[in-house]
Amino acid sequence: MILTKRYCKVIWTYVCFVAFTLGVVSCSENDANESQGLATWRTSSEVSASEGSAAIQISGTLGAEWNAEIVEGTSWCSFKLSDPTASTKSGVVQSAANMNVLDVYYKTNSESSARKATIEFCFVGGTPQTLTLTQLTSSSTNDPYTEGHAKAWAELPVKEEDPNYIYLTHFAGLDGRNVRNFSLCYDKELHVAHWVAYPMHTAYRGSASRDDNFTYDPKIDYDYQPNLKAGSYSGSYDRGHQIPSADRTANAELNAQTFYATNMTPQLGSLNRYMWANLETKVRDNMCADTLYVVTGCYYADTNTTTTDKSGMKCPVPTNYFKVLLRTKNGQTGKKVTECSADELKAIGFWVEQRSYSSTQPSTEICRSVAEIEQITGFTFFPNIDEEVAKVVKAQNAPSQWGIQ
């Protein structure tokens, strides 16, 4: 029997009543949900206009029974490829290792606007969950600039027009909302993102495990991306994240997107695993109640050094990496950075050579002002801040304010 959301509620109420009456347990819906498990999108809750499938990852207690129902979008979504009317499904958690998957199949979207499907998922006796799948149109660009986000998102650099550049944003579900995960400027010829921009806040952090499923970015032609699914680049180069996996642990969907090939660069293992990893930790240490805005990028002084992906495609190796950070000094103003004075803001940049560092901890040696990194890279960061305020803030280079000694 398929149990939809309202029946899950009824069962849950009955279970709590019995438990309370017997004095066995103090019930709360959150306790039940957390003890039995969770359902999240495997990679993305946003898909292209072409027909395909999306996967819901189910993690939970072995033997836990679950039920799912498509309550909106049944005309174009189903749980069975051979049966477009299959709108309900039930199952049992057979593995505790995040290997339980519920596939959702969708048809081509030939409409003029994006559409949404709503899926209600429920562990028997647990809290009902609602998952939303958004299917874009063929004309959707995913470009945050053409979608009008440039004025609202403080982390976005100024858009540079170049025929080799692709701009896009990845979104994910978080606490019942569809939020931005990260944006990027991808180079079709160099096979890397020149920068990846993202907000940092405790809301993006949680207990989701590291995904480790390196895969193609579904929003960019695979021919432009390195094949990193079966292993890393050739030589001594790791698949180096630009937005770290550890920055997105609130749920599986957020984390899985950080393993897209478009977020990777060929980075020396002796850098990636030591000083760079510790710099990423320092950045996380500077999260605050107000949002921390981060842009991480790679730079090419030349393209002389190359490596290859798993298919033999030549991939130029960056000569440098950088990070630029912006937040309020107080960290608890409750104000947007665009509303703040120069005295209320702080910023810093980090400029890192593609080499091994003698110290595993980031030092003042790599610290720069944002203005210096703008001059080197040619990108303009944090353009939404008032021009006069930006002159002061972007000139700052105070490592001790960021925990760098």
Side-chain angles (χ1 to χ4, degrees):
M1 180 178 65
I2 298 299
L3 301 178
T4 57
K5 186 174 182 178
R6 63 180 180 275
Y7 293 116
C8 288
K9 280 281 190 182
V10 170
I11 290 174
W12 170 243
T13 302
Y14 176 75
V15 169
C16 283
F17 172 77
V18 171
F20 178 78
T21 302
L22 296 177
V24 175
V25 66
S26 173
C27 288
S28 75
E29 289 187 346
N30 288 338
D31 289 342
N33 192 46
E34 291 175 3
S35 65
Q36 287 206 306
L38 191 67
T40 59
W41 291 107
R42 181 66 181 80
T43 53
S44 179
S45 57
E46 191 175 78
V47 296
S48 69
S50 302
E51 68 176 357
S53 66
I56 296 173
Q57 181 172 291
I58 303 166
S59 58
T61 306
L62 287 174
E65 299 179 21
W66 55 263
N67 303 280
E69 180 180 5
I70 302 172
V71 296
E72 182 182 353
T74 53
S75 63
W76 56 279
C77 281
S78 78
F79 288 132
K80 193 173 182 179
L81 181 60
S82 59
D83 183 4
T85 66
S87 61
T88 59
K89 192 163 186 177
S90 61
V92 175
V93 175
Q94 298 179 347
S95 168
N98 297 329
M99 298 301 292
N100 301 278
V101 172
L102 170 61
D103 290 314
V104 180
Y105 300 93
Y106 49 86
K107 300 177 183 177
T108 298
N109 183 10
S110 56
E111 300 174 8
S112 59
S113 59
R115 56 189 182 183
K116 295 182 183 293
T118 303
I119 297 157
E120 291 183 350
F121 181 94
C122 180
F123 284 101
V124 176
T127 307
Q129 296 175 243
T130 299
L131 296 96
T132 302
L133 180 70
T134 302
Q135 187 178 34
L136 304 172
T137 65
S138 57
S139 61
S140 298
T141 65
N142 301 303
D143 185 332
Y145 298 94
T146 59
E147 298 294 332
H149 299 303
K151 292 293 184 181
W153 298 350
E155 73 273 14
L156 285 178
V158 169
K159 184 177 184 179
E160 299 292 332
E161 297 295 342
D162 189 299
N164 287 320
Y165 292 178
I166 299 173
Y167 294 93
L168 64 84
T169 298
H170 285 292
F171 294 85
L174 180 62
D175 296 330
R177 297 181 299 125
N178 198 39
V179 301
R180 70 189 187 275
N181 195 352
F182 58 90
S183 303
L184 55 86
C185 168
Y186 193 76
D187 192 309
K188 297 185 290 187
E189 287 196 347
L190 296 178
H191 315 303
V192 297
H194 284 288
W195 53 254
V196 178
Y198 46 99
M200 284 285 292
H201 193 274
T202 54
Y204 287 95
R205 297 266 293 155
S207 58
S209 59
R210 179 181 167 94
D211 182 85
D212 269 331
N213 180 34
F214 292 87
T215 187
Y216 289 113
D217 188 326
K219 293 186 177 181
I220 290 182
D221 192 317
Y222 290 3
D223 290 342
Y224 299 140
Q225 303 179 54
N227 176 7
L228 303 174
K229 293 172 67 68
S232 192
Y233 300 92
S234 62
S236 303
Y237 299 103
D238 285 354
R239 294 168 289 192
H241 287 65
Q242 297 213 60
I243 175 173
S245 163
D247 286 2
R248 293 296 189 256
T249 55
N251 61 46
E253 182 184 2
L254 286 163
N255 190 262
Q257 291 177 0
T258 69
F259 286 87
Y260 288 158
T262 52
N263 187 42
M264 303 300 149
T265 75
Q267 189 173 45
L268 285 170
S270 55
L271 171 62
N272 180 44
R273 304 172 201 176
Y274 300 101
M275 196 279 282
W276 184 257
N278 289 328
L279 175 59
E280 292 174 335
T281 299
K282 286 289 186 183
V283 173
R284 283 191 290 277
D285 289 344
N286 280 279
M287 287 190 298
C288 56
D290 294 337
T291 303
L292 168 68
Y293 297 100
V294 183
V295 184
T296 300
C298 62
Y299 176 78
Y300 290 83
D302 60 65
T303 56
N304 299 331
T305 303
T306 61
T307 182
T308 56
D309 70 355
K310 302 311 293 183
S311 299
M313 182 173 70
K314 184 180 293 186
C315 300
V317 175
T319 57
N320 301 84
Y321 291 93
F322 65 86
K323 288 181 181 289
V324 291
L325 280 60
L326 173 70
R327 54 159 280 189
T328 59
K329 288 180 180 178
N330 178 283
Q332 302 181 56
T333 65
K335 296 167 63 175
K336 297 178 181 178
V337 291
T338 53
E339 300 170 346
C340 294
S341 66
D343 291 338
E344 295 176 295
L345 297 175
K346 65 177 184 178
I348 195 169
F350 302 103
W351 185 252
V352 177
E353 295 179 24
Q354 175 87 283
R355 63 175 174 84
S356 301
Y357 279 75
S358 57
S359 174
T360 61
Q361 292 298 323
S363 68
T364 57
E365 171 191 2
I366 65 170
C367 296
R368 301 286 187 276
S369 68
V370 173
E372 288 178 277
I373 295 181
E374 285 183 330
Q375 186 173 14
I376 297 170
T377 63
F379 291 112
T380 301
F381 303 107
F382 313 125
N384 294 343
I385 302 174
D386 177 80
E387 186 176 349
E388 293 303 313
V389 172
K391 287 180 182 178
V392 176
V393 175
K394 289 184 181 182
Q396 295 176 359
N397 183 4
S400 60
Q401 292 186 6
W402 299 87
I404 307 291
Q405 304 299 327

